[in-house]
């Protein structure tokens, strides 16, 4: 029965670990292939270092400012007599100032195309590739440096014609956040920045909140933008990378809740016209399609009078919407000419059928095809046309009150929407009662071949509702619809699809009358966020589409996600939808993977408390994995968090809560981000427990392997015997590490004391192995064990009795000595498993310190300094502690109760604020250490 139960436990945690692995695989590998083209330089890129004032270089020794250039342009600007439009690029976490080259090179080529009528000067800041996404202590410093750089850049243009008074900023990753933080500087003039474009910037919250400085910086910036939303005039475009960017999920890049809707635009790169591709965190800065859209927008933003970026907010938003939301396949015009002349020698052809196709090839003259609307208004609600010729000229018009042709018409081409393989036009007839004809213009082709299709239809007949399958169907059931009509356009509302934890697979099968391939375009349209997904395919074939969300549907939004199908009239389509359990696991990891360390440590804390409790109940410390399986249960933690969340809904309880200065519950923060869905905490707890289980096995095997290597290198002739808990050597080590933590980096001292602690455990297991294999060494270790158990009164009595009695060795039974040593090892292994996560959470600040060691020895501010003051002496003393002295301590009962309370606190306050978790962990370790004294 015992072996069967163990097999069940191993299987259970094995399945959970497999689910975690599948979710991680989906996040890191389960995305579309890279469809971005690389942007190349036509000439060798040059980065000219801008000389900064001595005071500034002394204050910021690691930071630099550069001007990007190529070829003759770079040579002409050696003397910094600049006459262009300044754009400042801010790299992000571990980003390089050289990442500006894609934007700079494309802008230079565009300027050459218009004979340098306008051009941009691209500047870039070298932040020394600092890890600001993991360590927030330098974000304020970066922000102040950017402010100084903006003033220096504008000084370079003084005395020039049309000298700029502001700069445009492009910020990648955390660089976008630093740009937004400029507005929080006390003496900053907002008019110094006229446009902000951010690429893959986590605006709403940090990816992982690993220190309080990062969290405070976010709070300062976002609170300022929320409180001053009406006053902030800065137009901001935020571009997210989609599912390929596993470093910054796209939902974090949306500025919807942080600023006024008329001044910000948030899009995912998959929805950007002419891009339609997901980008990873680095490729977003060099993706050719996306950078072309950005540069086109920059040139369209230029004011002809000032030769600088326009100051008109309305024009800025119009340009951004034109290039990043809905492109009508026409060049941008601030005030488009709606009335068009339909004159010339073009031929007019009336079309009275409801469905029409024209294949143009080597047409020698232009043709106007006129569709009278009077006969169709009573029967049909919409007219739809698609054109495979992707030029930027007007191609569809409307005639008002004409009989067969008109000399002037309304240019309806501005209502066109550009798709990957076609441009489409759809008109609701009821909205244009004065139109008598819709006119399709086909120019002379000169050898070009393209196809134009038009049809009238009733929208209700082309709308097929498809309820999505249930979350817990696990892909075993599906729903299916068939589109039997031969239409060009269908709309399929996906009912009940609006949560981030939902994920589906749609399979589209097409059967056509002929075997000739036809172009199809499928689009997932999300009405509450610009995160559309565009898929192209050939018919007849089978196409699989993954459906999942970056942003959950707001509570006050009743619109349904819609699957648009731009199809061939010769084909029939069959659509099957089923739940994708693999992608659901991926969504859990994508949105909540950062909280797993908190749940892992919560499980280990419950195990730790169970082991301390077992010393009271049975007098022995149980094995780590057995105790984890017994104690790490979600019902010990989750109900308390749920109750606290429920009670905080009452004002009186919230007032009591605030009076104790307690922080906001993390579950409430997740609610504000629309990320808290049913059972998520239970799932994360089970995932965390499985990682803690296999991590414990791995650490135990590692210690055993290292101890065998230690015995091979250093086989002791006797077991060390020092009953003192705090030795002179240990006191010196603790003082040394405290000084190191104070004068250099707290994380360094934490790492060193952890290595020392692990080394002590390796030696302990080596002693256990020696005890089992060599009985001659038993008296030494047993005497230490006995001495450690004797009280001071008993020791005095022993000394008096030794004067009158012959000497007699104090030898414990072999089995008892080994049991005590193994109990020590089991307890220490649990502490090793617990503290390793504290070490991992402190590593970012250590890496940051090592990277900047040539500039300063002391990390300031240091998020781990005070933690090291607590952890270094605690771990040092625990490394010498003995289980026998702990069992006899009066503090043991208190120490055994605290891990449960701390485990609840870790989940309640540390799942999204990970920097709080180490301080929670120190509490039971400190009590355990006091129990050893």
């Amino acid at each position: 029965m015992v072996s069967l139960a163990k097999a069940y436990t191993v299987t259970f945690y094995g399945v959970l670990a497999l689910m975690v692995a599948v979710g991680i695989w989906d996040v890191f590998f389960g995305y579309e292939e890279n469809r971005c083209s690389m942007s190349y330089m036509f000439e060798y890129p040059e980065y000219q270092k801008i000389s900064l004032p001595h005071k500034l270089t002394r204050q910021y020794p690691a930071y630099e400012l550069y001007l990007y250039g190529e070829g003759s342009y770079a040579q002409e600007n050696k003397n910094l007599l600049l006459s262009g439009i300044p754009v400042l690029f801010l790299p992000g976490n571990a980003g390089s100032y050289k990442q500006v080259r894609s934007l700079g090179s494309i802008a230079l080529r565009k300027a050459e195309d218009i004979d340098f009528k306008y051009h941009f000067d691209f500047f870039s800041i070298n932040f020394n590739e600092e890890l600001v996404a993991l360590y927030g202590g330098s974000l304020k410093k970066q922000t102040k440096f950017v402010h100084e750089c903006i003033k220096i850049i504008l000084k370079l243009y003084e005395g020039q014609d049309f000298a700029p008074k502001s700069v445009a900023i492009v910020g990648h990753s955390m660089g976008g956040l630093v740009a937004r933080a400029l507005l929080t500087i006390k003496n900053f003039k907002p008019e110094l920045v006229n446009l902000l474009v951010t690429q893959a910037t986590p605006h709403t919250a940090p990816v992982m909140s690993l220190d309080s400085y990062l969290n405070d910086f976010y709070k300062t910036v976002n609170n300022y933008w929320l409180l001053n939303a009406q006053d902030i005039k800065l137009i901001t475009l935020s571009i997210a990378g989609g599912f390929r960017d596993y470093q910054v999920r796209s939902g974090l890049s949306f500025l919807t809740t942080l600023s006024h809707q008329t001044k910000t635009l948030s899009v995912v790169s998959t929805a950007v016209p002419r891009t339609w591709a997901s980008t990873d965190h680095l490729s977003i800065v060099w993706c050719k399609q996306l950078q072309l859209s950005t540069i086109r927008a920059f040139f369209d933003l230029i004011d002809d009078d000032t030769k600088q970026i326009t100051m008109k907010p309305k024009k800025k938003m119009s340009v951004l919407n034109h290039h990043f939301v809905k492109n009508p396949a026409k060049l941008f015009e601030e005030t488009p000419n709606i009335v068009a002349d339909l004159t010339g020698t073009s031929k007019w052809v009336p079309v009275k059928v409801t469905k029409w196709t024209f294949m143009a090839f080597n047409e020698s003259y232009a043709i106007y095809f006129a569709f009278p609307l009077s006969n169709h208004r009573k029967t049909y609600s919409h007219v739809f046309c698609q054109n495979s010729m992707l030029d930027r000229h007007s191609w569809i018009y409307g005639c008002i009150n004409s009989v067969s042709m008109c000399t002037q018409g309304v240019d309806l081409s501005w209502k066109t929407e550009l798709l990957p393989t076609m441009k489409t036009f759809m008109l609701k007839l009821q909205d244009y009662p004065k139109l008598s004809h819709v006119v399709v213009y086909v120019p002379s082709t000169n050898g070009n071949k393209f196809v134009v299709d038009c049809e009238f239809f009733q929208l209700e007949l082309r709308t097929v509702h498809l309820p999505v399958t249930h979350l817990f169907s696990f892909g075993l059931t599906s729903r299916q619809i068939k589109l039997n009509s031969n239409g060009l356009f269908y709309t399929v509302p996906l009912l009940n699809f609006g949560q981030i934890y939902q994920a589906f697979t749609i399979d589209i099968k097409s059967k056509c009358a002929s075997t000739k391939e036809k172009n199809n375009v499928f689009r997932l349209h999300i009405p509450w966020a610009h995160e559309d997904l565009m898929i192209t395919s050939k018919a007849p074939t089978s196409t699989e589409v993954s459906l999942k969300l970056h942003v959950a549907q707001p509570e006050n939004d009743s619109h349904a996600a819609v699957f648009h199908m731009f199809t061939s009239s010769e084909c029939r389509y069959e659509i099957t939808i089923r739940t994708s359990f693999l992608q659901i696991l991926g969504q859990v990891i994508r949105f909540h993977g950062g909280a797993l360390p908190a749940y892992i440590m919560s499980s280990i804390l419950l195990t730790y408390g169970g082991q301390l409790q077992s010393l009271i109940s049975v007098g022995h410390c149980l094995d780590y994995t057995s105790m984890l399986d017994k104690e790490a249960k979600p019902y010990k933690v989750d109900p308390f968090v749920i109750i606290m969340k429920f009670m905080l809904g009452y004002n009186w309880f919230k007032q009591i809560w605030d009076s104790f200065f307690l922080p906001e519950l993390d579950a409430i923060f997740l609610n504000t981000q629309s990320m808290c869905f049913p059972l998520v905490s239970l799932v994360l707890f089970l995932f965390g427990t499985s990682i803690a289980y296999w991590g414990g096995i791995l650490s135990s095997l590692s210690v055993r392997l290292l101890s065998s290597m230690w015995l091979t290198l250093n086989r002791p002739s006797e077991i060390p015997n020092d009953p003192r808990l705090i030795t002179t050597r240990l006191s010196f080590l603790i003082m040394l590490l405290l000084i190191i933590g104070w004068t250099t980096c707290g994380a360094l001292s934490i790492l060193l004391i952890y290595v020392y602690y692990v080394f002590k455990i390796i030696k302990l297991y080596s002693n256990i192995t020696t005890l089992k294999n060599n009985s001659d060494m038993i008296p030494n270790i047993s005497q230490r064990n006995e001495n450690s158990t004797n009280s001071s009164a008993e020791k005095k009595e022993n000394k008096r009795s030794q004067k009158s009695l012959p000497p007699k060795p104090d030898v414990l039974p072999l089995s008892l000595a080994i049991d005590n040593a193994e109990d020590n090892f089991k307890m220490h292994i649990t502490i090793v498993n617990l503290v390793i996560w504290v070490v991992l959470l402190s590593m970012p600040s250590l890496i940051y310190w090592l990277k900047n060691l040539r500039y300063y020895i002391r990390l300031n501010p240091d998020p781990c300094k005070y933690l090291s003051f607590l952890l270094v002496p605690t771990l040092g003393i625990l490394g010498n502690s003995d289980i026998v002295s702990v069992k006899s301590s009066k503090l043991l009962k208190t120490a055994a109760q605290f891990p449960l309370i701390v485990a609840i606190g870790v989940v309640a306050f540390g799942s999204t604020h990970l920097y709080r978790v180490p301080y929670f962990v120190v509490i039971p370790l400190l009590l355990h250490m006091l129990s050893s004294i």
Side-chain angles (χ1 to χ4, degrees):
M1 290 298 292
V2 175
S3 60
L4 185 63
K6 189 172 183 180
Y8 168 78
T9 301
V10 171
T11 303
F12 177 71
Y13 289 117
V15 170
L16 287 175
L18 180 63
M19 291 169 67
V20 174
V22 167
I24 293 173
W25 182 91
D26 181 69
V27 171
F28 286 89
F29 304 103
Y31 43 70
E32 66 179 66
E33 62 180 9
N34 187 12
R35 291 187 283 164
C36 276
S37 300
M38 174 65 77
S39 52
Y40 294 98
M41 284 78 252
F42 288 84
E43 296 176 276
Y44 190 79
E46 296 184 35
Y47 305 90
Q48 182 177 350
K49 187 175 179 180
I50 306 296
S51 179
L52 301 176
H54 178 67
K55 180 181 178 182
L56 201 62
T57 55
R58 189 175 57 188
Q59 190 176 0
Y60 307 101
Y63 299 163
E64 297 166 325
L65 176 64
Y66 288 87
L67 171 66
Y68 177 81
E70 294 178 17
S72 58
Y73 169 81
Q75 296 303 317
E76 291 170 4
N77 290 321
K78 288 293 185 182
N79 55 5
L80 296 179
L81 296 176
L82 306 176
S83 59
I85 303 168
V87 179
L88 178 59
F89 177 80
L90 304 181
N93 178 58
S96 169
Y97 65 96
K98 295 182 179 180
Q99 290 173 317
V100 71
R101 59 183 176 267
S102 294
L103 280 170
S105 182
I106 293 173
L108 187 58
R109 301 286 83 78
K110 179 79 171 174
E112 288 177 350
D113 291 342
I114 58 173
D115 296 325
F116 282 90
K117 179 183 179 182
Y118 310 112
H119 73 276
F120 289 87
D121 299 320
F122 276 84
F123 297 85
S124 183
I125 290 180
N126 177 17
F127 283 132
N128 194 33
E129 300 184 7
E130 291 179 334
L131 300 172
V132 286
L134 304 177
Y135 169 75
S138 64
L139 285 168
K140 287 184 179 179
K141 187 167 59 174
Q142 287 191 1
T143 306
K144 292 177 181 177
F145 182 75
V146 171
H147 183 203
E148 297 299 324
C149 285
I150 291 173
K151 292 187 285 187
I152 290 170
I153 289 170
L154 293 177
K155 281 184 180 179
L156 296 175
Y157 294 86
E158 288 181 351
Q160 301 288 337
D161 294 334
F162 305 105
K165 298 179 181 179
S166 59
V167 301
I169 294 181
V170 179
H172 172 239
S173 187
M174 295 297 287
L177 185 71
V178 169
R180 287 180 57 226
L182 286 169
L183 301 183
T184 65
I185 297 177
K186 187 176 181 181
N187 298 321
F188 182 77
K189 298 177 181 178
E191 58 270 18
L192 291 178
V193 181
N194 55 40
L195 179 69
L196 172 59
V197 178
T198 67
Q199 301 172 332
T201 297
H203 288 295
T204 58
V207 177
M208 294 183 74
S209 190
L210 295 176
D211 67 59
S212 59
Y213 307 114
L214 182 62
N215 188 69
D216 292 344
F217 188 81
Y218 264 92
K219 190 177 292 185
T220 300
V221 174
N222 287 341
N223 283 347
Y224 181 89
W225 277 63
L226 280 170
L227 295 174
N228 299 277
Q230 298 293 334
D231 300 325
I232 293 176
K233 307 299 182 184
L234 179 61
I235 301 298
T236 305
L237 168 67
S238 176
I239 309 170
F243 289 111
R244 281 188 64 86
D245 189 351
Y246 51 77
Q247 294 185 45
V248 176
R249 61 178 180 83
S250 297
L252 293 176
S253 298
F254 276 72
L255 284 164
T256 311
T257 59
L258 297 176
S259 58
H260 205 276
Q261 292 291 327
T262 59
K263 300 169 188 173
T264 61
L265 179 63
S266 302
V267 298
V268 180
S269 60
T270 55
V272 176
R274 301 184 186 274
T275 301
W276 298 304
S278 179
T279 63
D280 60 53
H281 198 62
L282 292 179
S283 69
I284 198 169
V285 300
W286 56 254
C287 179
K288 184 177 179 179
Q289 298 95 309
L290 187 59
Q291 304 314 319
L292 282 170
S293 295
T294 305
I295 295 303
R296 289 189 196 108
F298 276 2
F299 275 89
D300 283 342
L301 285 166
I302 298 174
D303 189 301
D304 291 332
D305 296 328
T306 64
K307 304 296 188 291
Q308 297 293 323
I309 289 180
T310 180
M311 300 304 293
K312 302 174 184 177
K314 189 175 180 180
K315 180 180 177 181
K316 289 180 184 178
M317 290 304 297
S318 297
V319 170
L320 295 180
N321 277 286
H322 178 91
H323 289 283
F324 292 93
V325 179
K326 186 177 179 180
N327 191 308
K330 286 175 66 67
L331 296 175
F332 175 79
E333 295 179 23
E334 185 176 359
T335 55
N337 189 7
I338 301 300
V339 178
D341 292 326
L342 306 181
T343 58
T345 59
S346 303
K347 181 181 179 181
W348 282 78
V349 178
V351 180
K352 297 184 179 181
V353 295
T354 58
K355 189 168 293 183
W356 170 83
T357 299
F358 181 79
M359 296 184 66
F361 183 65
N362 282 336
E363 301 297 328
S364 57
Y365 51 85
I367 307 175
Y368 287 106
F369 292 94
F371 296 80
L373 302 181
S374 57
N375 297 332
H376 301 303
R377 289 187 181 277
K378 294 180 181 180
T379 311
Y380 303 106
S381 62
H382 290 72
V383 59
F384 173 85
C385 294
Q386 62 185 29
N387 190 344
S388 63
M389 187 176 185
L390 302 181
D391 65 347
R392 298 184 179 182
H393 298 99
S394 295
W395 66 288
I396 195 159
Y397 305 90
C399 290
I400 299 175
N401 300 325
S402 64
V403 180
S404 59
M405 60 178 291
C406 55
T407 57
Q408 281 192 331
V410 179
D411 190 351
L412 299 175
S413 303
W414 291 103
K415 295 189 174 295
T416 300
E417 183 172 13
L418 182 65
L419 300 179
T421 59
M422 64 184 79
K423 51 187 178 182
T424 65
F425 166 81
M426 188 161 65
L427 185 74
K428 188 176 181 181
L429 300 179
Q430 185 180 350
D431 293 344
Y432 293 84
K434 294 182 180 180
L435 288 185
S436 60
H437 290 74
V438 167
V439 180
V440 174
Y441 174 66
V442 176
S444 56
T445 56
N446 297 324
N448 293 325
K449 183 179 180 180
F450 62 94
V451 180
V452 184
D453 298 280
C454 289
E455 67 171 348
F456 291 87
F457 65 90
Q458 189 71 29
L459 185 61
E460 292 180 2
L461 300 177
R462 296 290 180 85
T463 303
V464 184
H465 295 275
L466 179 60
V468 298
T469 49
H470 196 272
L471 175 70
F472 295 109
S473 64
F474 301 109
L476 300 177
T477 60
S478 63
R479 289 196 172 100
Q480 190 179 86
I481 58 173
K482 292 183 179 181
L483 307 177
N484 292 318
S485 63
N486 55 351
L488 298 173
F489 173 78
Y490 299 92
T491 177
V492 182
L494 302 171
L495 305 182
N496 306 317
F497 177 41
Q499 301 301 323
I500 55 173
Y501 58 83
Q502 293 176 299
F504 306 95
T505 299
I506 280 188
D507 185 44
I508 306 163
K509 293 180 180 178
S510 56
K511 294 180 181 180
C512 304
S514 65
T515 57
K516 186 178 178 181
E517 288 188 342
K518 289 90 178 172
N519 289 324
N520 291 327
V521 177
F522 307 123
R523 178 177 64 189
L524 173 64
H525 175 60
I526 308 300
W528 58 84
H530 298 297
E531 56 170 289
D532 291 10
L533 180 66
M534 205 77 70
I535 304 99
T536 58
S537 72
K538 300 285 187 179
T541 186
S542 178
T543 305
E544 189 173 276
V545 182
S546 295
L547 304 182
K548 48 195 174 186
L549 297 173
H550 298 290
V551 179
Q553 184 175 16
E555 291 183 2
N556 57 352
D557 195 307
S558 59
H559 296 91
V562 181
F563 193 69
H564 289 147
M565 301 177 65
F566 303 90
T567 58
S568 170
S569 59
E570 298 179 18
C571 302
R572 304 290 184 272
Y573 296 86
E574 183 180 282
I575 304 172
T576 306
I577 187 170
R578 56 171 51 85
T579 299
S580 175
F581 184 63
L582 183 149
Q583 293 184 72
I584 288 174
L585 294 175
Q587 288 291 82
V588 172
I589 298 299
R590 179 175 288 106
F591 283 86
H592 297 282
L596 277 177
Y599 284 90
I600 294 168
M601 296 171 83
S602 180
S603 297
I604 300 174
L605 282 166
L606 292 174
T607 306
Y608 183 37
Q611 285 182 322
L612 291 173
Q613 197 67 44
S614 68
L615 294 180
I616 301 172
S617 58
V618 297
H620 288 286
C621 182
L622 299 182
D623 182 66
Y624 171 82
T625 53
S626 302
M627 187 57 72
L628 180 85
D629 183 48
K630 179 182 178 183
E631 293 293 331
K633 305 298 181 185
Y635 61 77
K636 294 186 176 182
V637 174
D638 280 349
F640 293 97
V641 178
I642 294 170
I643 290 170
M644 284 189 285
K645 180 183 173 184
F646 174 77
M647 293 301 294
L648 282 168
Y650 295 96
N651 288 330
W652 64 269
F653 187 81
K654 183 71 167 64
Q655 290 173 0
I656 296 174
W657 183 277
D658 293 338
S659 66
F660 284 97
F661 302 101
L662 293 172
E664 183 184 47
L665 209 63
D666 281 0
I668 294 176
F669 173 78
L670 291 176
N671 265 351
T672 62
Q673 300 289 314
S674 300
M675 287 172 54
C676 199
F677 54 84
L679 303 179
V680 63
S681 186
L682 172 62
V683 171
L684 291 174
F685 194 97
L686 293 175
F687 284 176
T689 305
S690 70
I691 295 172
Y693 180 86
W694 293 108
I697 292 175
L698 180 62
S699 64
S700 180
L701 290 174
S702 301
V703 169
R704 293 169 197 265
L705 177 62
L706 291 172
S707 66
S708 64
M709 294 171 62
W710 173 257
L711 281 175
T712 304
L713 297 173
N714 183 25
R715 186 171 295 277
S717 57
E718 63 176 0
I719 301 298
N721 178 30
D722 192 347
R724 292 176 298 166
L725 186 65
I726 305 176
T727 63
T728 304
R729 182 181 296 178
L730 177 62
S731 301
F732 175 78
L733 176 65
I734 290 174
M735 288 301 299
L736 177 63
L737 292 182
L738 288 176
I739 293 171
I740 290 174
W742 177 263
T743 58
T744 59
C745 175
L748 176 63
S749 61
I750 291 173
L751 177 63
L752 292 175
I753 195 64
Y754 181 74
V755 172
Y756 166 79
Y757 187 83
V758 171
F759 179 68
K760 293 285 289 185
I761 308 312
I762 291 170
K763 290 182 68 176
L764 172 62
Y765 193 76
S766 302
N767 294 342
I768 294 173
T769 306
T770 306
L771 275 173
K772 291 180 178 178
N773 297 332
N774 193 345
S775 59
D776 295 338
M777 298 184 186
I778 296 302
N780 289 327
I781 188 68
S782 59
Q783 186 179 10
R784 178 178 182 271
N785 283 330
E786 185 184 21
N787 286 340
S788 64
T789 59
N790 289 341
S791 64
S792 58
E794 288 174 329
K795 290 179 181 177
K796 291 179 182 178
E797 184 64 30
N798 287 339
K799 288 182 180 179
R800 286 196 296 269
S801 62
Q802 285 173 2
K803 294 179 181 179
S804 57
L805 295 174
K808 183 178 180 180
D810 299 324
V811 180
L812 287 175
L814 173 62
S815 60
L816 183 58
I818 293 176
D819 286 346
N820 285 342
E822 288 188 335
D823 280 351
N824 276 318
F825 178 73
K826 292 172 185 176
M827 182 63 72
H828 288 311
I829 277 291
T830 302
I831 296 174
V832 165
N833 292 327
L834 184 60
V835 179
I836 183 62
W837 290 97
V838 176
V839 174
L840 291 174
L841 291 177
S842 65
M843 280 300 98
S845 62
L846 176 61
I847 296 171
Y848 180 91
W849 173 75
L850 289 172
K851 192 174 179 63
N852 292 275
L853 194 55
R854 58 177 171 162
Y855 299 108
Y856 40 78
I857 296 176
R858 184 178 183 182
L859 180 63
N860 185 34
D862 187 352
C864 297
K865 181 168 65 176
Y866 298 111
L867 178 65
S868 67
F869 292 164
L870 296 171
L871 201 57
V872 166
T874 301
L875 273 187
I877 295 172
L878 282 176
N880 277 357
S881 67
D882 188 85
I883 206 76
V884 181
S885 60
V886 175
K887 286 192 287 187
S888 61
S889 172
K890 295 179 180 179
L891 276 174
L892 177 59
K893 187 173 289 186
T894 303
Q897 293 171 347
F898 256 85
L900 173 61
I901 301 171
V902 172
I904 296 170
V906 163
V907 172
F909 303 106
S911 56
T912 59
H913 298 83
L914 289 173
Y915 65 89
R916 296 172 181 165
V917 175
Y919 291 94
F920 279 106
V921 170
V922 165
I923 298 172
L925 291 176
L926 192 61
L927 289 172
H928 185 180
M929 182 267 289
L930 293 174
S931 301
S932 303
I933 298 176

